[in-house]
């Protein structure tokens, strides 16, 4: 990836709804060249999708937490693809250390959060940490340092 690819990615992360014409104006490249680069970035998997950024609290998911699960062996949340489809499971990370996985979860109520914790307990002892606030929140991906 070169500097032009990163310029295109910077603009797309700011507003994924830009037309190729507007994107080309912003990065100083012709619309066909921009379209080709965007297609190449999509085909290579660098651009993995286009999504709206939603405020979970305003959408009704008022409880947020990180849940650590100690689930080694065959009964692990990482080995059950269904867990990722459960309502409220936003991210599942396999990690090093004293637990197997860390999940970022959201729920509309404390009762729903408790039910989610109970479901996760089938995989191993869960331990949760409530998220009070997030700062800075979403940030764009930038070029790695040289």
């Amino acid at each position: 990836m070169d500097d032009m690819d990163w310029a295109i990615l910077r603009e797309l992360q700011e507003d994924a709804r830009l037309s190729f014409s507007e994107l080309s104006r912003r990065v100083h490249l012709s619309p066909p060249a921009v379209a080709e680069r965007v297609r190449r970035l999509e085909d290579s998997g660098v651009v993995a999708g286009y999504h709206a950024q939603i405020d979970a609290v305003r959408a009704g998911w008022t409880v947020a937490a990180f849940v650590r699960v100690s689930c080694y062996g065959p009964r692990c949340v990482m080995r059950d693809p269904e867990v990722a489809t459960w309502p409220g499971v936003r991210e599942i990370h396999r990690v090093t250390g004293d637990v197997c996985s860390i999940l970022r979860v959201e729920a509309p109520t404390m009762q729903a959060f408790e039910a989610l914790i109970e479901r996760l307990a089938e995989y191993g002892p869960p331990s949760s940490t409530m998220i009070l606030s997030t700062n800075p929140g979403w940030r764009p991906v930038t070029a790695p340092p040289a």
Side-chain angles (χ1 to χ4, degrees), residues 15-101:
D15 184 357
R17 297 175 61 178
L18 289 174
S19 67
F20 286 139
S21 177
E22 177 60 19
L23 184 54
S24 69
R25 186 187 68 72
R26 291 184 183 193
V27 299
H28 310 291
L29 199 63
S30 72
V34 164
E36 174 60 27
R37 282 179 177 260
V38 169
R39 185 197 57 74
R40 186 174 42 80
L41 290 165
E42 292 168 344
D43 289 347
S44 69
V46 172
V47 174
Y50 298 89
H51 312 277
Q53 187 174 342
I54 307 299
D55 183 313
V57 172
R58 290 183 180 169
W61 296 88
T62 57
V63 179
F66 293 110
V67 180
R68 295 168 304 286
V69 182
S70 299
C71 56
Y72 299 98
R75 189 83 174 123
C76 179
V77 295
M78 296 300 292
R79 292 196 173 126
D80 186 347
E82 283 297 309
V83 175
T85 69
W86 294 358
V89 174
R90 299 293 178 232
E91 299 171 355
I92 304 174
H93 303 273
R94 183 173 185 153
V95 297
T96 61
D98 60 345
V99 297
C100 170
S101 306

Side-chain angles (χ1 to χ4, degrees), residues 106-117:
E106 294 168 347
T109 64
M110 285 304 290
Q111 292 82 6
F113 174 70
E114 184 178 1
L116 180 56
I117 291 295

